[in-house]
Amino acid sequence: MQTIALFDQQDLGAPTPVGVLPWADRIEIRARDLIAERVILELENRAGDAERPQSALGLPLSDSRDDVVARALEAFERGRFLLLADNRQVETLDETIAFAPGATVTFLRLTPLRGG
């Protein structure tokens, strides 16, 4: 059993480790399921943490698990964050990702420009 290392990154900042997911070699996962797993991992890690009401992806953590996952999927579709699997950008929620040993996934949160 291998693991997938998960990281968060905002704009040009340094990636921050989020955790790891256990994963079997050569098993593929759809982007939507990977995003859901990442959100659930964060919800479990932050259970009862009233000081951090938002996830690293900018989602309110006070909603139900299903609502937070749905918001994360919508945020991905709207381009609020990028998903990089082994430094390759994942384009759609239904894209299938195959991981090799030592795989990394980065959730790159984008900050919208203001003004103009």
Side-chain angles (χ1 to χ4, degrees):
M1 180 80 52
Q2 299 293 324
T3 59
I4 301 169
L6 302 176
F7 296 88
D8 284 340
Q9 183 175 350
Q10 185 165 350
D11 298 320
L12 299 175
T16 304
V18 176
V20 295
L21 290 176
W23 208 256
D25 284 345
R26 302 183 191 273
I27 300 295
E28 297 179 342
I29 186 171
R30 291 182 311 163
R32 75 175 58 251
D33 298 325
L34 180 59
I35 292 168
E37 288 293 329
R38 184 256 179 263
V39 169
I40 291 166
L41 179 67
E42 185 171 23
L43 284 170
E44 290 172 353
N45 288 342
R46 291 197 181 178
D49 187 355
E51 292 183 23
R52 301 178 88 182
Q54 273 196 336
S55 77
L57 298 176
L59 306 167
L61 294 176
S62 59
D63 296 337
S64 73
R65 183 173 100 168
D66 291 340
D67 288 342
V68 176
V69 169
R71 286 176 191 254
L73 297 175
E74 180 181 345
F76 175 81
E77 287 186 314
R78 289 180 172 219
R80 302 263 325 266
F81 68 91
L82 300 178
L83 177 59
L84 305 172
D86 285 332
N87 295 317
R88 184 184 60 80
Q89 184 175 344
V90 176
E91 302 284 337
T92 68
L93 288 174
D94 290 320
E95 188 171 332
T96 302
I97 307 162
F99 291 107
T104 62
V105 174
T106 301
F107 293 83
L108 178 58
R109 183 175 170 196
L110 305 173
T111 303
L113 297 175
R114 299 189 192 267

